Amino acid sequence: MGRAGKPVSAGESSGSVVRRILLGSQLRRLRESRGITREAAGYSIRASESKISRMELGRVSFKARDVEDLLTLYGVTDEAERDSLLGLAREANVAGWWHSYGDVLPGWFQTYIGLEGAASLIRIYEVQFVHGLLQTEAYAHAVVARGMPGAPAAEIDRRVALRLARQKALVSERAPRFHAVLDEAALRRPYGGREVMRAQLRHLIDMSEQPNITLQVMPFSFGGHAGESGAFTMLRFPESDLSDIVYLEQLTSALYLDKAEEVAQYEKAMVRLHEDSPGPEESRDLLRGLLQLA
């Protein structure tokens, strides 16, 4: 629910993560332009240097009083500018729909879900299994259960429900463009048995025909390719002052890269994957061939 008890849409709650990052980057620019250290900024709001760092990265929520004190410290006296940034802080604190899954959702993944929901373009390369946004319920259940041996059935069901909820963005009115490159290994590694895999392959064929989705398969026959470093995701946003973000998931945490030189390297790899993989129609033929073999 919103601050006044009003339901919050998926777009609004996802946008709050982007607004946190935007506000954090603006506060960082203001601080640096005044030559103020993070330590001094933290002292002014009775916080640590690391807290300022997390605020500037958009990793934490913002207290209005803290933002007001920082703006004063940074010499921002224009009321219109202050009101704009304080309004951004209020919008940044809207809780995302995924917070209701907090019992099964790691904190480091909450940021990603918000960014994913706010992106206008999502590009992924996946090698271990079918990407979560393209998984059927049965396949998702098999993947989660395999990754969490011994977990209670209720927890597995909750994690699957969260994954299915994320998929709604692909068919919403504000659906992003989604460009996926799946390594053939992801399609040949069985999860859940023969019928589950057959249903998953049929689902990929159907999804690949959606107007906002481009699906390519990197076949074994190509040999070595640009995805040698492993799976990664690139997110682009409609906000012009927010740079592309590369998301790298690890076993117990994740990395978010936004430095231009790092993003550029992944951009080159992604472009090469697109160029070297068979096109969408030929990739559908590959999927149909795998379906006959499954």
Side-chain angles (χ1 to χ4, degrees):
M1 303 294 283
R3 295 173 65 84
K6 181 177 66 174
V8 176
S9 73
E12 289 173 328
S13 57
S14 296
S16 65
V17 177
V18 170
R19 290 180 175 90
R20 276 209 316 263
I21 294 173
L22 287 173
L23 178 57
S25 66
Q26 292 186 48
L27 290 174
R28 184 185 71 244
R29 285 196 293 267
L30 287 169
R31 178 182 59 76
E32 292 175 344
S33 69
R34 302 300 192 276
I36 298 172
T37 66
R38 287 195 183 94
E39 184 180 10
Y43 182 81
S44 74
I45 62 169
R46 304 153 299 281
S48 64
E49 179 181 352
S50 63
K51 171 69 176 295
I52 294 296
S53 178
R54 292 195 299 273
M55 289 175 67
E56 292 181 352
L57 290 170
R59 302 286 171 80
V60 293
S61 58
F62 293 89
K63 295 180 180 178
R65 178 184 172 184
D66 288 345
V67 176
E68 289 175 349
D69 289 348
L70 288 174
L71 293 178
T72 299
L73 177 66
Y74 301 156
V76 179
T77 57
D78 180 76
E79 284 303 315
E81 185 177 3
R82 290 178 68 92
D83 288 346
S84 174
L85 291 170
L86 287 168
L88 199 57
R90 287 191 295 272
E91 294 170 358
N93 288 332
V94 174
W97 60 263
W98 56 89
H99 285 210
S100 62
Y101 290 91
D103 56 323
V104 296
L105 185 61
W108 52 267
F109 194 55
Q110 293 186 26
T111 298
Y112 174 75
I113 293 182
L115 293 173
E116 181 184 77
S120 57
L121 171 63
I122 303 172
R123 291 176 291 170
I124 67 99
Y125 168 66
E126 186 60 74
V127 64
Q128 175 70 13
F129 33 61
V130 173
H131 190 270
L133 291 180
L134 296 174
Q135 294 178 3
T136 64
E137 182 174 359
Y139 182 95
H141 192 279
V143 169
V144 173
R146 181 80 59 85
M148 300 184 63
E155 181 177 352
I156 292 174
D157 290 344
R158 288 276 289 162
R159 290 177 181 270
V160 172
L162 170 62
R163 192 161 300 182
L164 297 179
R166 285 169 52 204
Q167 295 178 3
K168 293 178 181 178
L170 288 183
V171 294
S172 67
E173 291 183 3
R174 299 171 56 194
R177 287 181 295 137
F178 183 63
H179 195 155
V181 178
L182 301 180
D183 197 281
E184 185 175 343
L187 304 173
R188 287 187 175 272
R189 184 170 291 107
Y191 280 97
R194 183 169 181 268
E195 286 308 311
V196 170
M197 287 302 300
R198 287 180 58 83
Q200 178 63 69
L201 290 168
R202 285 193 292 266
H203 181 66
L204 287 173
I205 294 170
D206 292 341
M207 293 297 287
S208 73
E209 295 173 342
Q210 297 299 314
N212 61 312
I213 296 176
T214 302
L215 176 59
Q216 292 177 266
V217 176
M218 171 55 77
F220 286 146
S221 60
F222 186 83
H225 55 73
E228 59 188 11
S229 63
F232 65 99
T233 297
M234 298 191 72
L235 303 173
R236 181 167 296 166
F237 306 93
E239 291 81 4
S240 60
D241 48 353
L242 188 63
S243 64
D244 287 5
I245 290 177
V246 175
Y247 172 75
L248 303 173
E249 187 169 315
Q250 300 173 332
L251 186 61
T252 58
S253 62
L255 294 176
Y256 297 86
L257 308 179
D258 63 355
K259 291 183 179 179
E261 60 271 21
E262 293 178 325
V263 173
Q265 291 299 312
Y266 281 91
E267 177 71 30
K268 289 179 183 177
M270 187 66 80
V271 169
R272 286 179 58 195
L273 283 167
H274 292 169
E275 293 174 346
D276 294 340
S277 299
E281 188 54 50
E282 191 176 349
S283 291
R284 269 192 289 273
D285 288 339
L286 285 170
L287 289 169
R288 294 185 184 107
L290 288 171
L291 180 57
Q292 290 179 348
L293 296 172

